[in-house]
């Protein structure tokens, strides 16, 4: 309920400009869901869920029996063929009824034609596709309960037809032509874009689905093809948006470069566990090629839409670096006496006892949750807190010293560059809501996926054997962002918080006193 509460929204620079009567458009900016209300034109970006209310979960239909020892097996729906035909269901949003809550569903019929082709029958449509092909968007309508219908869209990718049939289905996304919840400001702007760029498009906050690549469902070529399609949509949105914009404030986000770097950094880093010479030869230029593509887009914007009266700002909030080893920070806390377990996690549990299932809170003074955060088990704040107020400083000193002197026994290099205290980097109300300590890792290291969800697996440093091989959740000194402007700026070290006051200053609005940054012009 809170997620959809518009009172939780941040205030963005276009909210100020639109209120001042300045035409303002923003497309795919992060943290703009729900889109809220106001007179600006907006399409929500990072944060938009799928039609089930999640971050986006794919489905894999396979005639092969699921291997429960492999990551992602729970996403597999087994196909049972009678002759060349198999029937199954696609699960949709949960609906509540007199007998409880259950997932809505629609039928999917799969027909094999020869060794390389399938016919997919779903929602009254028959789609023909071959192995190695993506289908167009398929609209699907699910029951939402009480005579309500929920419209979603998805794309299929045919992984294989024979000897085993494998079909990937993307996360079911909000249909921009018939949104089941509002993803734009004006309400009809999502549909307007679809009608003017050639049809439905990815609406999920993070549309580049990296999970099936890490879990061995999609190969690198299929992922690149997906990213290419997302970029094509983005370019069409940008072209339509700018061609229908005269003057004011226009902001636009391209973030596929982020996901491309996460997944293909392994071919730039010869020390990554998954690096191969063959991979470098085939995929070593993928990241460079995406930046060249974006550079071309910027050039077209400059030549077609920027004049001497236009302020152009191009910025990225972070860079990238190597991710060779995962750090189980909770296990480090255990080995250094800051956390205790009632029992060790099951060796077959990939998540290492997620959600602190095995933690003995009566003997635990600190724990890690999320990416880079360490919290103290404070008395009066945590339900089983044991750390007294007078112990806080000494405890933080010990953890900070321990982490910054922690060495990788294989390289004899430091794992952690800096450990920051909340009071040194946050201010005001955010200090009370923050972790006590924030870890700034050295290049090559990153907090483990298991630690992020409260797991306590064995081992402190483990090889990163995922294709997700580049990252930026490290010390900020290692991965600075970049800023380009066609107007000379005042600062030699601009910050992300300076963007909003700079935009407001450019259009003649005095920046709000609550803003942390300063105008760069």
């Amino acid at each position: 309920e809170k997620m959809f509460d518009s009172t939780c929204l941040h205030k963005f620079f276009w909210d100020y400009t639109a209120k001042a009567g300045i035409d303002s458009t923003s497309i795919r900016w992060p943290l703009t869901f729900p889109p809220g209300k106001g007179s600006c034109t907006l399409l929500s970006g990072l944060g938009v869920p799928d039609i089930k209310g999640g971050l986006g979960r794919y489905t894999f239909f396979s005639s092969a029996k699921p291997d429960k020892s492999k990551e992602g097996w729970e996403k597999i729906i087994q196909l049972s063929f009678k002759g060349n035909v198999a029937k199954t269901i696609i699960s949709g949003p949960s609906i509540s009824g007199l007998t409880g809550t259950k997932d809505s569903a629609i039928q999917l019929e799969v027909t094999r034609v020869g060794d390389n082709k399938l016919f997919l029958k779903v929602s009254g449509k028959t789609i023909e596709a071959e192995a190695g092909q993506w289908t167009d968007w398929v609209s699907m309508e699910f029951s939402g309960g009480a005579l309500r219908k929920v419209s979603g869209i998805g794309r299929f990718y045919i992984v294989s037809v024979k000897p085993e049939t494998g079909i990937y289905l993307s996360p079911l996304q909000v249909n921009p032509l018939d949104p089941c919840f509002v993803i734009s400001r004006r309400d009809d702007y999502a549909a307007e874009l679809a009608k003017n760029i050639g049809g439905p498009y990815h609406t999920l906050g993070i549309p580049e689905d990296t999970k099936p690549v890490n879990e061995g469902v999609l190969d690198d070529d299929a992922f690149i093809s997906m990213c290419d399609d997302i970029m094509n949509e983005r370019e069409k949105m940008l072209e339509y948006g700018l061609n229908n914009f005269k003057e004011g404030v226009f902001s636009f986000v391209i973030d596929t470069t982020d996901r491309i770097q996460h997944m293909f950094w392994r071919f730039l880093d010869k020390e990554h566990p998954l690096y191969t010479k063959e991979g470098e030869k085939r995929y070593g230029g993928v990241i460079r090629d995406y930046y060249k593509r974006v550079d071309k887009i910027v050039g077209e914007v400059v030549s077609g839409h920027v004049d001497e009266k236009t302020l152009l700002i191009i910025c990225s909030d972070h860079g990238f670096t190597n991710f060779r080893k995962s750090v189980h920070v909770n296990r480090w806390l255990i080995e250094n006496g800051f956390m205790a377990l009632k029992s060790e996690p099951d060796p077959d549990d990939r998540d290492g006892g997620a959600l602190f299932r095995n933690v003995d809170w009566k003997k635990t003074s600190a724990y890690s949750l999320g990416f880079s955060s360490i919290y103290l088990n404070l008395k009066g704040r945590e339900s089983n807190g044991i750390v007294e107020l007078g112990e806080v400083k000494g405890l933080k000193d010990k953890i900070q010293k321990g982490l910054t002197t922690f060495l990788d026994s294989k390289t004899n290099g430091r794992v952690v560059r800096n450990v920051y205290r909340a009071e040194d980097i946050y201010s005001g109300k955010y200090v009370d809501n923050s972790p006590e300590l924030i870890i700034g890792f050295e290049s090559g290291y990153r907090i483990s996926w298991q630690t992020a969800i409260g797991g306590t697996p064995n081992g402190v440093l483990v090889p990163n054997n995922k294709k997700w091989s580049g990252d930026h959740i490290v010390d900020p000194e290692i991965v600075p962002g970049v800023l380009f402007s066609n107007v000379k700026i005042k600062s030699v070290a601009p910050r992300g918080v300076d963007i909003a006051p700079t935009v407001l200053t450019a259009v003649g609005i005095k920046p709000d006193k609550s803003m942390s940054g300063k105008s760069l012009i």
Side-chain angles (χ1 to χ4, degrees), residues 190-427:
E192 179 185 321
L193 280 172
K195 291 172 183 175
N196 285 279
I197 70 168
Y201 49 84
H202 292 81
T203 56
L204 195 63
I206 301 180
E208 302 86 357
D209 197 2
T210 60
K211 278 282 187 182
V213 187
N214 278 321
E215 293 169 356
V217 168
L218 294 181
D219 62 19
D220 291 328
D221 290 328
F223 182 73
I224 291 171
S225 180
M226 177 201 305
C227 290
D228 286 345
D229 290 341
I230 292 167
M231 283 293 294
N232 289 337
E233 291 173 354
R234 243 15 114 75
E235 289 186 61
K236 290 176 183 178
M237 288 180 188
L238 178 60
E239 182 180 16
Y240 175 77
L242 284 174
N243 286 342
N244 288 272
F245 187 83
K246 294 182 180 179
E247 61 180 18
V249 176
F250 185 94
S251 52
F252 189 87
V253 172
I254 293 174
D255 47 9
T256 303
T257 46
D258 176 270
R259 266 63 87 182
I260 285 286
Q261 289 177 97
H262 278 303
M263 301 306 290
F264 289 96
W265 202 268
R266 59 200 146 107
F267 299 125
L268 299 182
D269 178 15
K270 289 181 171 60
E271 295 183 43
H272 192 276
L274 297 186
Y275 168 84
T276 63
K277 289 183 178 179
E278 296 78 12
E280 181 185 19
K281 185 176 180 180
R282 184 166 183 174
Y283 299 108
V286 170
I287 293 173
R288 176 203 63 208
D289 291 344
Y290 257 76
Y291 271 100
K292 288 171 70 175
R293 180 173 182 173
V294 175
D295 188 57
K296 182 174 180 289
I297 294 170
V298 171
E300 291 170 350
V301 170
V302 171
S303 62
H305 300 277
V306 176
D307 58 24
E308 68 280 357
K309 295 181 180 179
T310 303
L311 169 64
L312 175 67
I313 298 175
I314 303 166
C315 61
S316 172
D317 63 317
H318 62 73
F320 261 82
T321 191
N322 309 313
F323 176 19
R324 299 166 185 161
K325 293 184 180 180
S326 295
V327 187
H328 294 319
V329 174
N330 281 322
R331 180 57 60 172
W332 183 89
L333 292 171
I334 292 167
E335 292 187 0
N336 287 272
F338 301 108
M339 175 182 275
L341 299 181
K342 291 178 286 188
S343 61
E344 288 291 342
D346 187 325
D348 295 327
D349 179 4
R350 284 191 209 89
D351 294 332
L355 302 179
F356 306 105
R357 285 199 300 271
N358 304 78
V359 172
D360 185 346
W361 292 106
K362 294 179 181 178
K363 298 177 181 178
T364 292
S365 57
Y367 60 96
S368 183
L369 179 68
F371 293 103
S372 303
S373 301
I374 292 181
Y375 297 83
L376 301 187
N377 188 22
L378 294 178
K379 200 169 187 177
R381 185 181 70 178
E382 275 76 2
S383 57
N384 294 294
I386 63 168
V387 177
E388 301 282 357
L389 191 61
E391 300 175 293
V392 168
K393 184 181 183 304
L395 190 54
K396 288 196 289 189
D397 287 343
K398 288 180 182 178
I399 296 173
Q400 190 171 30
K401 182 178 180 180
L403 283 171
T404 52
T405 56
F406 171 36
L407 300 180
D408 182 341
S409 60
K410 296 285 179 67
T411 66
N412 206 35
R414 291 201 311 173
V415 173
V416 174
R417 175 174 287 212
N418 288 302
V419 176
Y420 301 91
R421 300 187 181 219
E423 59 269 25
D424 295 331
I425 59 175
Y426 299 123
S427 60

Side-chain angles (χ1 to χ4, degrees), residues 144-176:
L147 303 179
R148 180 173 172 261
K149 295 292 183 182
V150 175
S151 178
I153 55 172
R155 294 178 76 203
F156 296 92
Y157 180 81
I158 312 305
V159 175
S160 58
V161 176
K162 285 187 177 179
E164 300 289 358
T165 299
I167 307 165
Y168 163 89
L169 172 60
S170 70
L172 298 176
Q173 306 183 32
V174 176
N175 183 352

Side-chain angles (χ1 to χ4, degrees), residues 20-241:
I22 298 169
D23 194 7
S24 305
T25 297
S26 180
I27 297 176
R28 294 290 303 185
W29 203 273
L31 303 179
T32 49
F33 179 83
K37 302 195 180 298
S39 56
C40 79
T41 300
L42 180 147
L43 177 69
S44 295
L46 180 66
V48 175
D50 60 24
I51 66 171
K52 297 183 180 185
L55 296 177
R57 181 185 174 99
Y58 75 88
T59 306
F60 187 56
F61 301 96
S62 175
S63 60
K65 186 177 180 181
D67 182 350
K68 293 188 177 182
S69 68
K70 292 186 176 180
E71 190 175 3
W73 71 268
E74 71 283 354
K75 302 182 184 81
I76 297 175
I77 305 295
Q78 190 167 7
L79 293 173
S80 297
F81 279 89
K82 292 184 178 180
N84 283 316
V85 179
K87 295 181 179 180
T88 185
I89 62 169
I90 297 172
S91 295
S94 298
I95 52 175
S96 299
L98 296 175
T99 58
T101 301
K102 64 177 182 178
D103 286 347
S104 58
I106 58 175
Q107 297 295 315
L108 171 65
E109 182 178 293
V110 180
T111 303
R112 293 190 291 210
V113 182
D115 294 338
N116 204 45
K117 185 185 293 185
L118 294 178
F119 286 112
L120 307 176
K121 189 174 182 180
V122 59
S123 292
K125 296 173 280 289
T126 300
I127 302 107
E128 179 181 344
E130 295 184 358
Q133 282 187 353
W134 286 94
T135 69
D136 292 334
W137 286 109
V138 180
S139 59
M140 307 176 202
E141 205 168 68
F142 297 87
S143 170
L147 303 179
R148 180 173 172 261
K149 295 292 183 182
V150 175
S151 178
I153 55 172
R155 294 178 76 203
F156 296 92
Y157 180 81
I158 312 305
V159 175
S160 58
V161 176
K162 285 187 177 179
E164 300 289 358
T165 299
I167 307 165
Y168 163 89
L169 172 60
S170 70
L172 298 176
Q173 306 183 32
V174 176
N175 183 352
L177 290 167
D178 185 17
C180 52
F181 47 80
V182 179
I183 60 170
S184 63
R185 194 195 306 181
R186 312 176 317 262
D187 288 2
D188 62 348
Y189 187 59
E192 179 185 321
L193 280 172
K195 291 172 183 175
N196 285 279
I197 70 168
Y201 49 84
H202 292 81
T203 56
L204 195 63
I206 301 180
E208 302 86 357
D209 197 2
T210 60
K211 278 282 187 182
V213 187
N214 278 321
E215 293 169 356
V217 168
L218 294 181
D219 62 19
D220 291 328
D221 290 328
F223 182 73
I224 291 171
S225 180
M226 177 201 305
C227 290
D228 286 345
D229 290 341
I230 292 167
M231 283 293 294
N232 289 337
E233 291 173 354
R234 243 15 114 75
E235 289 186 61
K236 290 176 183 178
M237 288 180 188
L238 178 60
E239 182 180 16
Y240 175 77

